[in-house]
Amino acid sequence: MASWIEIGNLSDIPPRGARCVTTPLGRIAVFRTATDDLYATEDRCPHKGGPLSQGIVHGAAVTCPLHNWVFSLETGAALGADEGSVRTFALKREGEKILMDVDLMASVAAD
Amino acid sequence: MTKKRKLIVVGNGMAGCRAVEELLDLAPDRYEIEIYGAEPEVNYNRIMLSPVLAGETGFDEIVINGRGWYEENGIALRSGEEVIAIDAASRTIATDKGARSSYDRLLIATGSLPFILPVPGAALDGVIAFRDIADVRRMIATAEGGGRAVVIGGGLLGLEAANGLRTLGMQVSVIHLMDTLMERQLDEAAGFLLRRELEMRGIEVLTGAQTEEIVGTGRVEGVRLKDGRLVPADLVVMAAGIRPNIALAREAGLSCNRGIVVDDFMRSSDPAIYAVGECVEHRGQVYGLVAPIWEMCRAAGAALAEEDGEGYRGSVTSTKLKVTGVDVFSAGDFASGEDREDIVFRDAARGVYKRLVISEDRVIGAVLYGDTQDGSWYFSLLREKENIAERRETLIFGPALAGASQDPNAAVAALPDTSEICGCNGVCKGAIVNAIREKELTTLDGVRAHTKASASCGSCTGLVEKLMALTLGGTYNPAAVQPICTCTDLGHDEVRRLIKAKELKTIPAVMQELEWKTSCGCAKCRPALNYYLVCDWPDEYADDYQSRFVNERVHANIQKDGTYSVVPRMWGGMTSAKELRAIADVVDKFAIPAVKVTGGQRIDMLGIAKEDLPAVWADLGKAGFVSGHAYAKGLRTVKTCVGTDWCRFGTQDSTGLGIRIEKFMWGSWTPAKVKMAVSGCPRNCAEATCKDVGVICVDSGYEIHFAGAAGLDIRGTEKLGIVKTEDEALEHIVALVQMYREQARYLERIYKWAKRIGYDEIRRQIMDDEERRKALFGRFVFSQKFAQVDPWSERVSGKHQHEFRPMAEIGFPRAAE
Ligand SMILES: Cc1cc2nc3c(=O)[nH]c(=O)nc-3n(C[C@H](O)[C@H](O)[C@H](O)COP(=O)(O)OP(=O)(O)OC[C@H]3O[C@@H](n4cnc5c(N)ncnc54)[C@H](O)[C@@H]3O)c2cc1C
Ligand code: SF4
Ligand code: SF4
Ligand code: FES
């Protein structure tokens, strides 16, 4: 069962930018691409913990601000030569509103 | 023959009548038909309202079915009569004229209602939608008086309205909430081209603009935006979207979501009631275009005729903008993604942009601008999910398989003869091409000798070589240039020269005109382009913060744990008890874990949470501190010694000069960081001879040094020259830095740039060529007008709040039941 809660509006995030949502599991980065697609990942780079929400967003990918690893926002996997991945979270959009699935988060907390 | 059954159609629009046509084709005699239409018109082609508005055609030309059609088919048309209730139990309808009528089958085709923004003033006289012929007539009547129109909504409908009103002679502004026009159909690159075209037609485009209220007493006078701007208007067209018109169906108890829910045979939850057109929801999908509606009507006609058919299975849609002279096509899904691949083709000369999105060897999306003739071909590949693996390479050239590959010299070929190729010596394309032809030059040195192009700093070498290849044909092979990144074949120098020569002033303009191979660049090229544009067009270019690295975006240095460090400016390394006390207070108040003296003679506070940054800056600001730009590709520090103020060896006021330089140059962006120093005598306590720019004061004046390094590489400076006065020292230093700003590649430090250009060449331009030096100085001063704004105080007063606060905070979710 998904349970969606509202986390903000599309216009809260600049295009090709990101904002954070703080949760009991840590920070989650919510990205908006140039084409207004939305993605959410944990805000921790698997390399050395860089905050991905602070990276440059290009296409459906983000470049970590600390050492330039690049991650797919869709799958969370590192692209190119680097290996690793970040956890992604489901989002959905209803008009301007952005919603996040919190039950998924509960299951993450449990495992 | 049995008695005819009775069919009532609610809605005399495109879907209602088309469904009747389909039905008559299959079963001309089955029903007695009655059509109700709220509009007092016959059945007309709604999509042609845009050309009617633009004066390209008239109402008579867009009628689909005139009175004769209704008569011939025995259809009773009740136009100008609205159905106000449906009683499903007794199978009757009631109209606003008090009539009642009963049916065996009912077909609802009520279309959509324009969405009117719920802002104050939306009901004022002069605010109209763009939906029917009555709206168009009102717009044309208003436009006769000239005046100003504001169109709210930069989608398909809004832009067609804007273009029409402009053609009628009104001054038109489009207000669009998003940053890209038609963002549902277009990507950033195509949206840019469209915007440019509309602006060239004299339409003002305001993106990222939110409507706050419509102002006026009785009649509309203007539109106020959220940021406070007021756009004057005699006419406001609301084109902010449409909503399925389902009130009637809902009150009749039919199952509705966004639209009236129908099955594949267009049947609603009541088996006697069918629905087609924009008012329906089929398999969760609502449509706003006619192509899917025609398919629905075929299914509905067959169902009403009680013939077996496949029914309706849903549609993939494509859109075209109907603005004469603007070709835009879009279909499918064109968001970027990992399992997706883009094929991008740009032809700057013809203003063409094409992008295909490929996933698993299938076309899943297409955006075409400027050349849409292959649109239908791509659309059929997309709809049929055809495997394109075999023709992948030539796909972008269309079905003719033109096979031509992209010409690497295209950007240069498209330049007019008058555009300047060599900035140092002011040589234009025409002069170079002529020299190559007339003097039969075949080598770069030959061109240098005869034209002086690329004979000085060499930044334009790549372009000159491309011109040679272009003029000499296949016989000349230019040296390979290292491209900026995989998004382009051009190198930094070429891009910089072309930005100037073609007067490119936005990132999308650069990518289009220089034929970028990706739709929106990458983390390598975007920051570089952003810097080049900031440097070259200081007054016109709007800095794109999303193309900057985080440090420059939040004006602090990110640390390995994701916290930030903050370094306020201490001019020339001088401070005071008051400043130190303020720093101490900030450290206590925010429990800042580490405080360190930096190598640049100032104080670094480390370990500050991002959320605290604005408050830290606010407190520092109260004590008079501004940002030290310790994070910037820009002027960092000017280190000084105490000079004649205190030191017994001092020859000049080194501290004073250092402070003066720092106050003059802070805030400027540079290709890479710039660190300076001023020492009061050759003992050089400020270590000026390993800096980007350094000054050694001597009895006879000021010795200027440059191109030192003390980082990954170590090298002593080169001497630029010696000048007599402080004013001259400042002028020379500023001119040198400006030359570096204009020529260097992004992230290239001064010492690397200088080595590449040649120290002598730099000495010649700065020390010997007074006119050039003064011009460089002037350009720096001009750009400082826009750059010298303290970013900290800007953010304390609210700019870019989104950078510093989380968007939401979520508590522990409730345990799942
Ligand atoms: C300016 C403009 C340009 C467009 N351009 C394009 C384009 O280029 N390509 C494209 O594919 N689509 C385009 N469209 C969209 C297209 O016109 C619609 O998708 C199509 O008209 C929908 O058909 P419909 O029958 O569902 O609704 P409509 O054509 O709107 O018909 C509904 C009719 O029902 C009437 N009605 C509503 N309620 C009642 C009632 N209770 N009683 C009686 N009558 C009622 C309305 O008055 C209206 O006449 C455009 C639309 C507009 C406005
Ligand atoms: S550089 Fe010369 S003037 Fe400056 S502090 Fe050292 S000795 Fe004194
Ligand atoms: S020298 Fe290296 S470790 Fe030390 S601050 Fe500079 S980059 Fe960091
Ligand atoms: S922490 Fe992200 S790349 Fe190193």
Side-chain angles (χ1 to χ4, degrees), chain B residues 184-185 287 295 314-319 329-335 340-341 355-368 374-389 391 395:
Chain B
R184 285 171 198 223
Q185 290 90 17
Y287 296 94
E295 293 175 39
S315 311
V316 191
T317 57
S318 67
T319 17
F329 173 90
S330 139
D333 179 356
F334 47 85
R340 298 173 174 193
E341 214 182 329
R355 172 162 167 233
L356 299 178
V357 184
I358 311 288
S359 175
E360 293 171 354
D361 291 333
R362 308 261 182 311
V363 175
I364 60 164
V367 185
L368 309 179
D374 298 331
S376 50
W377 184 62
Y378 294 130
F379 187 51
S380 73
L381 293 180
L382 189 152
R383 225 179 18 205
E384 308 304 327
K385 302 195 171 72
E386 247 178 76
N387 187 313
I388 50 88
R391 42 184 150 175
L395 194 63

Side-chain angles (χ1 to χ4, degrees), chain A residues 3 5-10 12-24 27 30 32 34-37 39 48-49 51 53-60 63 65-66 68 72 74-75 77 79 93 96 98 100 102-103 105-106 109, chain B residues 177-180 183-184 186-188 210 333-340 355 520-523 526-527 544 546-550 553-554 558-562 564 610-611 801-816:
Chain A
S3 105
I5 72 159
E6 191 181 331
I7 54 169
N9 288 320
L10 183 66
D12 293 338
I13 313 177
R16 279 185 285 101
R19 292 286 298 273
C20 284
V21 174
T22 59
T23 75
R27 287 150 68 104
V30 181
R32 171 176 174 188
T35 42
D36 286 345
D37 295 301
Y39 300 98
K48 291 190 173 178
S53 59
Q54 313 301 306
I56 289 186
V57 179
H58 43 97
T63 298
L66 290 194
N68 297 327
S72 155
E74 271 182 332
T75 63
L79 303 175
R93 211 174 122 184
E96 263 290 280
I98 306 172
M100 184 179 278
V102 286
D103 270 1
M105 232 180 300
Chain B
L177 185 63
M178 298 296 171
D179 290 296
T180 301
E183 78 285 347
R184 285 171 198 223
L186 301 184
D187 57 11
E188 190 188 17
Q210 197 168 347
D333 179 356
F334 47 85
S336 352
E338 194 212 0
D339 57 337
R340 298 173 174 193
R355 172 162 167 233
C520 81
C522 71
R526 285 200 83 101
D544 177 22
Q546 297 313 129
S547 295
R548 286 187 176 276
F549 292 118
V550 58
R553 225 161 50 221
V554 301
I558 194 166
Q559 302 297 322
K560 65 172 200 173
D561 60 353
Y564 290 81
K610 194 181 185 195
E611 291 77 8
Q801 286 289 355
H802 63 82
E803 287 286 1
F804 305 103
R805 277 198 243 124
M807 177 163 66
E809 297 180 31
I810 300 179
F812 259 112
R814 283 167 295 115

Side-chain angles (χ1 to χ4, degrees), chain A residues 76-99:
Chain A
L79 303 175
D82 301 310
E83 272 179 36
S85 71
V86 281
R87 199 186 284 278
T88 58
F89 298 91
L91 290 180
K92 77 176 179 190
R93 211 174 122 184
E94 282 177 2
E96 263 290 280
K97 289 197 184 66
I98 306 172
L99 299 104

Side-chain angles (χ1 to χ4, degrees), chain A residues 45-50 52 64-69 71:
Chain A
C45 176
H47 176 220
K48 291 190 173 178
L52 296 176
C64 176
L66 290 194
H67 317 93
N68 297 327
W69 284 27
F71 296 90

Side-chain angles (χ1 to χ4, degrees), chain B residues 73-309:
Chain B
N73 291 292
I75 299 169
L77 170 64
R78 305 259 193 279
S79 63
E81 189 165 354
E82 189 180 332
V83 174
I84 53 169
I86 299 170
D87 182 355
S90 65
R91 297 194 175 177
T92 50
I93 57 113
T95 76
D96 60 345
K97 300 222 163 117
R100 291 183 160 275
S101 185
S102 55
Y103 62 83
D104 296 302
R105 290 283 179 271
L106 183 72
L107 177 64
I108 302 180
T110 46
S112 298
L113 294 174
F115 177 63
I116 304 291
L117 289 181
V119 294
L124 283 174
D125 199 17
V127 180
I128 40 190
F130 186 18
R131 181 70 195 175
D132 55 34
I133 186 69
D135 295 330
V136 171
R137 290 182 180 134
R138 282 164 73 198
M139 283 193 245
I140 293 177
T142 317
E144 267 164 13
R148 302 196 41 124
V150 168
V151 176
I152 300 178
L156 195 84
L157 216 57
L159 297 182
E160 293 187 359
N163 180 63
L165 293 167
R166 177 77 196 130
T167 314
L168 294 177
M170 293 190 87
Q171 256 178 289
V172 182
S173 307
V174 175
I175 295 176
H176 191 52
L177 185 63
M178 298 296 171
D179 290 296
T180 301
L181 290 175
M182 286 177 65
E183 78 285 347
R184 285 171 198 223
Q185 290 90 17
L186 301 184
D187 57 11
E188 190 188 17
F192 155 75
L193 287 168
L194 177 59
R195 177 187 189 134
R196 188 175 66 173
E197 172 63 31
L198 295 174
E199 284 173 344
M200 258 153 48
R201 294 176 177 217
I203 296 172
E204 181 185 32
V205 179
L206 305 169
T207 48
Q210 197 168 347
T211 305
E212 173 108 327
E213 77 169 304
I214 300 175
V215 293
T217 35
R219 218 195 132 68
V220 59
E221 284 159 27
V223 175
R224 182 171 324 277
L225 303 181
K226 202 149 218 161
D227 63 13
R229 267 183 295 174
L230 179 74
V231 191
D234 306 304
L235 171 70
V236 171
V237 179
M238 282 272 188
I242 53 172
R243 297 281 178 277
N245 181 5
I246 56 171
L248 192 64
R250 178 169 279 150
E251 269 163 40
L254 301 182
S255 153
C256 294
N257 263 329
R258 276 191 298 159
I260 304 167
V261 177
V262 294
D263 63 14
D264 286 1
F265 301 92
M266 310 316 289
R267 212 171 3 218
S268 74
S269 55
D270 178 328
I273 303 181
Y274 292 73
V276 285
E278 283 183 347
C279 60
V280 310
E281 177 174 324
H282 173 261
R283 299 190 185 180
Q285 204 64 39
V286 174
Y287 296 94
L289 294 167
V290 294
I293 292 177
W294 294 161
E295 293 175 39
M296 290 180 199
C297 290
R298 174 160 314 140
L304 285 168
E306 282 157 44
E307 300 228 342
D308 292 333

